[in-house]
Amino acid sequence: MEQQQQLPIKIVLDNWTAILSRTTGLINSLTDEELDQEVSPGRNTGTYLLGHITAVHDRMMPLLGLGAQQFPQLDDVFLTSPDKSGKTKPSTSELRAQWETVNQALTEAFGKLQPEEWLHKHTSVSDADFAKEPQRNRLNVLTSRTIHLASHYGQMLFLKKSK
Amino acid sequence: MEQQQQLPIKIVLDNWTAILSRTTGLINSLTDEELDQEVSPGRNTGTYLLGHITAVHDRMMPLLGLGAQQFPQLDDVFLTSPDKSGKTKPSTSELRAQWETVNQALTEAFGKLQPEEWLHKHTSVSDADFAKEPQRNRLNVLTSRTIHLASHYGQMLFLKKSK
């Protein structure tokens, strides 16, 4: 792949890295008590959203064909159940550590991918469908997960005390 | 540009279109009264955020070298001033119409761009800097504006009454 052709892939990756880094910075700037507040009255808590984005990012590993999910137990609590399900959540410090672990695994795996490998199919599309719709590739997953993260980042901003 | 090389550009564009369409759907589903609420206590109102994303999208036209800004008067109220500045806002129906107008102009202009033109420089980078940093192109602007929109979309979701 020529350098010019790699540019769009670099752009998507750089923007993913930027919003991921802003989100991690926000999470690290919040106390456990702040994280445990609802982002808006009657809405999800920051703790739930942290578990939710961790689970979604963890699942990107198998979806992108890069490895196994590390914390599949998060799915039940943070993906298929709502915040106030009564299900036992990991402690906030455990969740913070899992968020770091999951994103580190993604960053390492991304670092090993050649640019053209971003255009390979992701694992939840069949060969036949991918032949018809070649945009159903890894890069598309990364782009849609970037949007997903950004929308929750916008919500978690409300956990910061306003001045 | 070969079809394979166009794919990343199509993916970024499709994801922009998807979040834009979801946001417009959300705005259209809200009454003026709902839009005028704060998205979270003490935070921006939906009306302010609507003006804000309209102004940001309007400015994408000159930034991408695609045409003039249509509503430069929005900048002062929705970009450089905070929500409760006391500055006179357009009516909500006017804002709704401007949102549609601005995004229609973008969609039309995008439809006329060839895929490779997304790799051309945007207008706020110099030729010299662009030569050194070729990722400072139109596609990068679109990607970062997608993230910007997604973060405010996440916030505006709170204007929907929870069940």
Side-chain angles (χ1 to χ4, degrees), chain B residues 3-161:
Chain B
Q3 204 167 358
Q4 178 81 347
Q5 298 165 23
Q6 297 177 15
L7 264 184
I9 293 159
K10 175 179 165 50
I11 286 168
V12 172
L13 264 169
D14 284 355
N15 277 281
W16 158 264
T17 304
I19 186 68
L20 184 59
S21 150
R22 271 198 282 166
T23 307
T24 300
L26 172 63
I27 291 165
N28 292 345
S29 78
L30 296 167
T31 64
D32 288 0
E33 290 66 35
E34 285 171 327
L35 255 185
D36 217 36
Q37 303 299 308
E38 291 172 339
V39 293
S40 189
R43 307 291 177 165
N44 292 319
T45 60
T47 314
Y48 179 83
L49 286 178
L50 174 56
H52 175 73
I53 55 182
T54 301
V56 167
H57 289 198
D58 198 15
R59 287 166 69 95
M60 287 171 71
M61 291 294 285
L63 181 55
L64 294 170
L66 300 173
Q69 198 179 350
Q70 295 185 76
F71 307 110
Q73 69 275 17
L74 297 179
D75 294 6
D76 179 42
V77 190
F78 296 109
L79 288 181
T80 52
S81 306
D83 193 353
K84 286 96 184 180
S85 63
K87 296 198 176 172
T88 309
K89 294 186 178 68
S91 70
T92 305
S93 64
E94 219 172 328
L95 278 176
R96 289 180 188 272
Q98 288 167 340
W99 170 251
E100 293 290 347
T101 302
V102 159
N103 291 312
Q104 204 173 332
L106 287 176
T107 302
E108 273 174 33
F110 291 178
K112 288 179 194 150
L113 280 183
Q114 295 302 308
E116 58 268 24
E117 291 180 288
W118 281 101
L119 304 183
H120 294 184
K121 79 180 199 62
H122 60 68
T123 59
S124 75
V125 61
S126 69
D127 288 336
D129 286 345
F130 184 63
K132 279 178 282 182
E133 299 175 289
Q135 74 273 20
R136 297 175 70 176
N137 57 28
R138 285 172 170 150
L139 195 70
N140 208 349
V141 170
L142 186 64
T143 306
S144 70
R145 292 307 178 275
T146 300
I147 290 175
H148 178 260
L149 179 59
S151 72
H152 289 307
Y153 167 78
Q155 299 173 335
M156 292 174 84
L157 277 175
F158 298 151
L159 298 167
K160 288 293 276 184
K161 289 205 180 65

Side-chain angles (χ1 to χ4, degrees), chain A residues 31-47:
Chain A
T31 63
D32 288 0
E33 291 65 35
E34 285 172 327
L35 255 185
D36 217 37
Q37 302 299 309
E38 291 172 340
V39 292
S40 189
R43 308 292 176 163
N44 292 320
T45 59
T47 313

Side-chain angles (χ1 to χ4, degrees), chain A residues 16 20 23-24 27 35 46-62 69-75 78-79 90-104 106 145 148-149 152 156:
Chain A
W16 157 265
L20 184 60
T23 307
T24 300
I27 291 165
L35 255 185
T47 313
Y48 179 83
L49 286 178
L50 174 57
H52 175 73
I53 55 181
T54 301
V56 167
H57 288 198
D58 198 16
R59 287 167 69 95
M60 287 172 71
M61 291 293 286
Q69 198 178 350
Q70 297 185 76
F71 308 108
Q73 70 275 19
L74 298 179
D75 293 9
F78 296 109
L79 287 181
S91 70
T92 305
S93 65
E94 220 171 327
L95 278 176
R96 290 181 189 270
Q98 288 168 339
W99 169 251
E100 294 290 346
T101 303
V102 159
N103 291 312
Q104 202 173 333
L106 286 176
R145 291 307 178 274
H148 177 261
L149 178 59
H152 289 307
M156 293 174 83

